[in-house]
Amino acid sequence: MTRTTLVPVLTLPQPLVLLPTARLHTFLDEPAGLKLVELVQRSDTQLVIGTVPCASTSEVYSWGTGARVVRVVRTVSKASDKAFQVTLHGLSRLHYPDTQSGAPFSSNDLIELTAERPKSDGPPATEAVAAFRAAATKLLDHLAQDTNQQSRRDVYVKISHMLEEVSDDRTPWMADVIVAGINKLDYNDKLAYLSASAVDDRLRRATELFVKQASISEVTKKIAQSIDESLSKQQKEFFLRQQLAAIQRELQALTRSSGSNQEGTARPSSGVSELDDPEQAEAEDMADIRSKIEAMAKDSEERKMAVREWKRFQRIPAGSVEHGVIRNYLEWLASVPWPSSSVYASAAASEKLRDRAFLVNARKQLDEDHYGLEKIKKRLIEYLAVVRLKQLQAEREATLEASTSTVPSKDLIAPRAEGAVVKGKKGKQEAAEEPSAEPVVVEQKHKRGAATKAVKGPILLFVGPPGTGKTSLGQSIAQALDRPFQRISLGGVRDEAEIRGHRRTYVASGPGSIVQALRKAGRPDPVILLDEIDKIGQSNFHGDPAAALLEVLDPEQNHSFNDHYINVPIDLSQVLFICTSNSLETISAPLLDRCEVVHLSGYTYDEKLHIARKFLLPKQLKANGLTPEHVTLTQSALLRIATHYTREAGVRSLERAIGAVVRYKAVEWAEYVDSSGNDDIARVPSSPRSAKTYKKVVEEDELEAILGIARWDEEEMHREERRGLVYGLVVTGMGEGGILPIETSAVPGSGQLKLTGSLGEVIKESGELALSWVKSHAYDLFITKLRSQDPLKVPDPIDIHLHLPSGAVKKDGPSAGIAMTCAFVSLLTGACVPTNVAMTGEVTLRGRVGPVGGIKEKVLGAHRAQITKIILPWANRKDVEHDVPPEVRSAMQFVFARTMEEVLDAAFGKGVLSWRRDMVVMESRL
């Protein structure tokens, strides 16, 4: 030992030990921190103090480390024992001869102890250096392999290189560096190494520590490997036990079947339920998923995704949450009918399309399901004809391509062995079997959408009032094509994810309605009806569902439809999309541009009677347990139900009314059977001999007792001819047409126009336009004597009050312009419009008559009200010829007008109104 000195020493609590070359951060309380700060301030150079491990209050350890004070800072902590933070850097070993003077000791306290510096030894022994290098290199390799951080791995590699290049004299210092860097050393091992002052003893202790740490690392790795092996053994045991359970079930089933044959009767309760063994069902489900994945086309995107997720599914433990998520995804991915999959290849082509009687059968199917709608049926037959021709053309092209691909060449030679694969120059031909004794297999790479686009037809949009048969028309098309039918209701859908699906990152995510419909259909070419497309939600923070439909309904994009959940392009080019809507106002222009609009205006009363007799009455009889022999509705009774108890364009209310009549008769029949005991309708007497009998014929006069008082009376048929009253044509919110009286009255006032009847802005403007036209032509109609006179102020000032009845019903639109003009002319001239005349049309300030919509509904409503003469705009004559049934056209007189003069002549009759422009006026002046 060398000289002895009295040095300030910092006591370190367990398990802190400062080794040479190491750096230590610790906290001090207020008194100890102030002492250290004072020492630092008094020192001319960087302060060096001693450190000593202090495991008890009565004694400190005999060995410590001389350390340089790198930094002393005051902390912001409110704890009393963390007032200062000090950073120390270990320099060399110190020996403390007296370890008990100054007791009791406290941790992190600054005391004074007598310290001795050990003498420096000579160079270490060669054997000790060699053993140290080997043990240190092995330990550093283990540490580099076990760590997951690249930065720490790089540090271990650098230390290993330094160890190879350092000289033998510097190996003790290298031992201090490596031992100080090992974090998992035991406290006693650190103390023992700290007390090794001799270089050989220090290398020996370091070698022992390195060997010990390397052994611990190897044992830890072996334990982890054994755990993995045990887990694999458990999985193997699990599968074997499943197989054993399956074998036992089969044996039990054979035993039960043999026992039941011997007894002669089998008990229904002894059968095996699919709910009895969930493990077997799980195994069968996974086998089914695997078979569907294997049936996907090779190198297709869906197969790549399925294989990748299947491998992940096999690696993840069954109890993990991710296991269930991947399982659910695989089920959806495998259940989608991919056009390239061999499972659905045979189902894609319809045999009905190849039948020569396809169009005849389709027309018969439509006639059986729907009465009337001739224009609609014509368009649907054209649609089906195009689908058939494109399907046949695609098959011819596929046959021609297959025949050319089987021609042997130098570049493509297929071995005559089943399952062999041959590729040409570019390696893009795969999978095509030849039906011969020695099949030649040519594998062709799947090209998405190449062969399926040929059968794509137009996207139809059926627009019409409720109950007109839009949905049932889609079902008829599906039956004619022999394809599955799926309906997607879009009413109220406000989230884009309901169309495209949710992404897999969300909890309880799933695919959108399009993929769900494909899964239910089970084929890649179903007929999907997008119902109520006009009631889809508008753009909000959930996205725009209408914009999401643009990709679905675009033939140029839907061959690679991307569902957020499936995340694989889905081919929708074979799907036949049919949309339904009640109006076109709420449908966006880009979405409407992708559809071919087909209007269903509604049924005439003649068509409603045929539908009721052919479809609705048999349906209600079957639904209520009766037969056609039990109930007979007369033609007059049916007509009264259609005209007085319903007011709609469709037939839903008519069906409900007929159902009420059938249920009433069902109650009568049940009471008669209970009272008489006769349940045979053929034995019921035709003429009632007593009150307790059954009458199967329902007459018109019985409807009020069955259905109550008629909701719609014949008010529109009871019209009166009076001054200022004109009848216009309207379309109600239910899609039914009718007539509406326009009443005007002159009251004392100041020349103002008053409009009432819940009128909108457009119809108010039409009233003002009509009055302005009448004022500008008042002189020509002999209403005023001078052109400068206002007919509402000369000879007496008056106000005109225009009213449209049914004030609770909102009314709007420009179609009442000519009727309002005629009403003003009638009020101011005194001429009356006949009650058999009704009119509709828009009027301009110049007196031109503009076209309006809803012509078919308006004409049918006028025909129902027994109107015989209708005045329409000249531009609407084509609507009458195309949409109005011939029997209605033949029963009515149509006048098509271009100007208001023609309208007035047609409404009042020729010669009733006198025009001043027809007279030759000579003015004399004095």
Side-chain angles (χ1 to χ4, degrees):
M1 297 291 178
T2 60
R3 62 187 181 278
T4 301
T5 57
L6 188 67
V7 296
V9 178
L10 181 63
T11 58
L12 300 177
Q14 188 178 359
L16 295 181
V17 176
L18 179 60
L19 295 174
T21 71
R23 182 164 290 200
L24 176 67
H25 305 276
T26 186
F27 293 94
L28 302 179
D29 55 4
E30 185 79 14
L34 292 177
K35 287 181 184 180
L36 185 59
V37 170
E38 184 180 357
L39 291 175
V40 172
Q41 291 176 351
R42 287 190 302 177
S43 177
D44 296 333
T45 60
Q46 198 168 12
L47 180 65
V48 177
I49 63 174
T51 62
V52 61
C54 181
S56 65
T57 59
S58 60
E59 185 180 20
V60 295
Y61 194 64
S62 59
W63 286 89
T65 305
R68 182 186 295 113
V69 179
V70 178
R71 186 177 62 171
V72 181
V73 295
R74 180 181 288 274
T75 64
V76 295
S77 176
K78 296 182 180 179
S80 59
D81 59 342
K82 294 184 179 180
F84 289 84
Q85 184 182 25
V86 59
T87 303
L88 304 175
H89 179 70
L91 299 176
S92 61
R93 287 171 172 78
L94 294 178
H95 180 257
Y96 304 105
D98 188 4
T99 60
Q100 296 180 354
S101 62
F105 302 102
S106 61
S107 59
N108 286 336
D109 192 13
L110 199 61
I111 61 175
E112 288 187 351
L113 289 177
T114 302
E116 298 176 350
R117 298 182 183 275
K119 291 182 179 181
S120 58
D121 296 339
T126 306
E127 295 81 7
V129 172
F132 165 76
R133 290 180 187 272
T137 303
K138 184 177 180 181
L139 176 62
L140 291 172
D141 292 339
H142 279 292
L143 294 176
Q145 292 176 3
D146 295 342
T147 184
N148 294 326
Q149 299 180 5
Q150 184 63 32
S151 60
R152 298 181 68 89
R153 187 179 295 111
D154 295 339
V155 170
Y156 292 139
V157 172
K158 288 182 179 180
I159 296 176
S160 179
H161 292 165
M162 291 173 59
L163 183 63
E164 295 174 358
E165 297 173 359
V166 74
S167 62
D168 293 348
D169 296 338
R170 299 283 291 172
T171 51
W173 170 81
M174 199 68 192
D176 291 340
V177 172
I178 299 176
V179 173
I182 300 176
N183 297 326
K184 299 180 180 179
L185 283 181
D186 187 68
Y187 182 72
N188 294 327
D189 292 338
K190 289 183 179 180
L191 295 179
Y193 179 77
L194 181 62
S195 63
S197 59
V199 291
D200 291 335
D201 187 21
R202 196 186 313 169
L203 291 179
R204 181 182 59 81
R205 289 182 182 273
T207 302
E208 292 176 356
L209 291 176
F210 296 166
V211 172
K212 180 180 178 180
Q213 290 298 319
S215 301
I216 292 174
S217 178
E218 290 178 357
V219 170
T220 305
K221 186 178 294 185
K222 287 182 180 179
I223 291 174
Q225 292 179 355
S226 63
I227 291 175
D228 293 339
E229 291 176 359
S230 63
L231 287 177
S232 62
K233 289 180 180 179
Q234 291 177 0
Q235 292 177 354
K236 185 176 181 181
E237 181 181 0
F238 171 75
F239 289 120
L240 290 175
R241 289 189 180 278
Q242 279 190 328
Q243 294 179 357
L244 179 61
I247 294 173
Q248 290 177 351
R249 280 192 298 271
E250 293 295 332
L251 291 176
Q252 292 175 2
L254 290 175
T255 304
R256 282 195 296 267
S257 62
S258 61
S260 62
N261 292 334
Q262 292 176 2
E263 294 176 2
T265 57
R267 293 175 295 174
S269 60
S270 63
V272 180
S273 173
E274 64 273 11
L275 304 178
D276 291 340
D277 192 355
E279 295 182 358
Q280 176 66 15
E282 176 78 10
E284 292 177 355
D285 291 343
M286 297 310 301
D288 182 55
I289 293 175
R290 177 166 182 165
S291 63
K292 289 181 179 179
I293 294 176
E294 292 175 347
M296 296 178 182
K298 291 184 178 180
D299 297 332
S300 61
E301 296 184 30
E302 59 269 14
R303 184 185 179 98
K304 293 178 182 177
M305 176 66 77
V307 170
R308 183 165 61 249
E309 293 297 325
W310 179 268
K311 292 179 179 179
R312 287 186 58 204
F313 177 77
Q314 297 295 328
R315 291 195 302 266
I316 295 178
S320 173
V321 177
E322 188 70 14
H323 184 276
V325 173
I326 298 178
R327 161 70 185 273
N328 188 39
Y329 176 75
L330 285 174
E331 286 183 353
W332 277 107
L333 189 63
S335 61
V336 174
W338 302 99
S340 60
S341 175
S342 60
V343 176
Y344 307 101
S346 60
S350 176
E351 293 295 335
K352 281 193 173 184
L353 289 174
R354 302 185 182 95
D355 190 3
R356 292 185 177 181
F358 170 73
L359 294 180
V360 177
N361 297 333
R363 189 177 287 106
K364 181 180 178 182
Q365 181 74 41
L366 292 174
D367 291 337
E368 290 177 355
D369 295 343
H370 300 84
Y371 180 83
L373 304 177
E374 297 301 329
K375 285 184 61 179
I376 311 301
K377 291 180 182 178
K378 177 184 177 183
R379 180 64 188 90
L380 293 180
I381 292 298
E382 295 172 356
Y383 179 47
L384 297 178
V386 171
V387 173
R388 166 178 162 77
L389 293 177
K390 286 190 174 182
Q391 176 70 28
L392 297 178
Q393 181 181 4
E395 291 181 358
R396 285 195 299 268
E397 292 177 356
T399 305
L400 180 61
E401 183 179 356
S403 61
T404 55
S405 63
T406 55
V407 177
S409 63
K410 297 180 180 179
D411 297 330
L412 182 65
I413 303 175
R416 302 193 176 190
E418 187 175 0
V421 177
V422 175
K423 296 184 179 180
K425 286 183 178 181
K426 297 183 180 180
K428 294 186 178 179
Q429 297 180 352
E430 306 176 350
E433 282 194 357
E434 293 291 336
S436 60
E438 296 181 352
V440 179
V441 182
V442 179
E443 193 175 352
Q444 295 181 353
K445 188 173 182 179
H446 172 65
K447 295 182 180 179
R448 180 178 301 274
T452 59
K453 287 184 180 179
V455 298
K456 184 64 182 176
I459 297 172
L460 300 180
L461 173 58
F462 296 152
V463 181
T468 52
K470 300 183 294 294
T471 303
S472 57
L473 280 172
Q475 294 176 343
S476 299
I477 294 176
Q479 294 177 3
L481 290 173
D482 193 21
R483 295 186 182 183
F485 175 80
Q486 290 296 322
R487 173 181 169 270
I488 299 176
S489 179
L490 298 178
V493 173
R494 57 183 180 86
D495 192 352
E496 177 192 1
E498 297 190 37
I499 306 296
R500 292 184 179 271
H502 294 271
R503 299 190 184 276
R504 293 172 59 191
T505 53
Y506 295 99
V507 178
S509 59
S513 55
I514 302 296
V515 176
Q516 294 179 19
L518 283 177
R519 180 182 183 179
K520 293 177 183 177
R523 281 177 53 176
D525 57 345
V527 176
I528 295 182
L529 180 76
L530 302 178
D531 206 6
E532 309 293 348
I533 198 173
D534 58 325
K535 299 174 181 62
I536 196 169
Q538 301 299 320
S539 177
N540 52 30
F541 63 94
H542 291 290
D544 191 356
L549 286 175
L550 297 179
E551 182 183 5
V552 177
L553 299 180
D554 193 345
E556 302 299 327
Q557 301 179 23
N558 62 5
H559 64 277
S560 59
F561 171 70
N562 185 26
D563 186 272
H564 289 164
Y565 181 80
I566 301 297
N567 203 22
V568 175
I570 301 174
D571 189 359
L572 301 180
S573 60
Q574 297 187 51
V575 180
L576 301 184
F577 288 103
I578 299 175
C579 308
T580 66
S581 171
N582 296 127
S583 64
L584 300 177
E585 284 75 13
T586 57
I587 303 178
S588 62
L591 186 59
L592 191 63
D593 181 65
R594 285 162 168 78
C595 304
E596 180 178 346
V597 180
V598 179
H599 291 275
L600 283 79
S601 301
Y603 298 103
T604 65
Y605 280 108
D606 184 50
E607 292 174 341
K608 286 185 178 181
L609 294 180
H610 282 85
I611 293 172
R613 184 73 66 184
K614 187 176 181 180
F615 301 101
L616 304 182
L617 183 58
K619 178 182 178 181
Q620 290 298 322
L621 290 173
K622 184 178 181 181
N624 293 280
L626 299 177
T627 62
E629 289 78 16
H630 290 88
V631 179
T632 301
L633 275 171
T634 62
Q635 191 74 5
S636 59
L638 272 179
L639 181 60
R640 184 168 181 82
I641 292 175
T643 54
H644 291 76
Y645 289 91
T646 63
R647 185 64 59 88
E648 59 174 351
V651 292
R652 285 179 180 166
S653 297
L654 179 61
E655 182 179 3
R656 284 191 287 267
I658 293 175
V661 174
V662 173
R663 288 191 298 271
Y664 181 86
K665 301 304 291 183
V667 173
E668 283 190 354
W669 173 248
E671 292 176 349
Y672 172 77
V673 171
D674 293 340
S675 61
S676 65
N678 178 24
D679 58 352
D680 188 3
I681 187 63
R683 294 188 295 170
V684 176
S686 57
S687 59
R689 299 178 182 177
S690 62
K692 294 183 178 181
T693 187
Y694 177 74
K695 181 183 176 183
K696 67 177 183 178
V697 180
V698 180
E699 300 289 349
E700 180 181 357
D701 54 1
E702 302 177 26
L703 293 178
E704 187 168 344
I706 299 174
L707 299 177
I709 300 176
R711 295 181 57 191
W712 311 97
D713 54 17
E714 298 180 353
E715 179 182 358
E716 61 183 11
M717 297 183 183
H718 300 292
R719 301 181 294 273
E720 59 177 329
E721 184 175 328
R722 54 168 293 180
R723 179 179 179 179
L725 177 63
V726 175
Y727 291 92
L729 299 177
V730 296
V731 178
T732 64
M734 296 178 290
E736 183 80 2
I739 63 173
L740 181 67
I742 299 177
E743 303 173 351
T744 58
S745 176
V747 296
S750 58
Q752 302 295 323
L753 173 64
K754 185 177 181 180
L755 303 172
T756 58
S758 297
L759 307 183
E761 293 296 329
V762 178
I763 199 171
K764 288 181 179 179
E765 292 177 357
S766 296
E768 295 174 358
L769 278 173
L771 184 59
S772 298
W773 187 90
V774 172
K775 286 182 178 181
S776 63
H777 294 79
Y779 177 76
D780 297 334
L781 291 170
F782 289 95
I783 300 175
T784 60
K785 296 181 179 180
L786 298 175
R787 290 189 179 275
S788 59
Q789 292 179 344
D790 188 349
L792 301 187
K793 296 181 179 180
V794 178
D796 297 322
I798 61 172
D799 288 343
I800 293 182
H801 185 181
L802 185 144
H803 176 70
L804 274 66
S806 302
V809 180
K810 294 186 178 297
K811 311 170 188 69
D812 203 358
S815 60
I818 64 173
M820 291 180 176
T821 306
C822 290
F824 292 147
V825 172
S826 173
L827 178 66
L828 297 176
T829 60
C832 298
V833 177
T835 59
N836 66 330
V837 177
M839 62 195 72
T840 182
E842 182 181 1
V843 65
T844 65
L845 201 59
R846 298 178 300 160
R848 296 288 181 180
V849 179
V852 294
I855 295 298
K856 179 181 179 182
E857 292 83 357
K858 293 176 179 179
V859 170
L860 293 180
H863 180 260
R864 180 187 64 243
Q866 298 180 358
I867 296 291
T868 59
K869 186 177 182 180
I870 295 181
I871 302 174
L872 297 175
W874 177 265
N876 288 120
R877 67 189 186 280
K878 59 182 182 301
D879 299 318
V880 175
E881 296 175 359
H882 293 168
D883 298 337
V884 179
E887 61 272 13
V888 177
R889 294 203 305 266
S890 61
M892 304 179 73
Q893 178 186 358
F894 293 93
V895 178
F896 301 102
R898 292 187 178 91
T899 62
M900 274 307 306
E901 288 82 356
E902 298 178 2
V903 172
L904 294 177
D905 290 341
F908 293 95
K910 287 188 176 295
V912 175
L913 296 178
S914 301
W915 291 84
R916 199 181 295 271
R917 64 171 181 267
D918 297 336
M919 302 175 58
V920 179
V921 179
M922 297 183 64
E923 205 175 293
S924 62
R925 298 181 181 180
L926 296 178

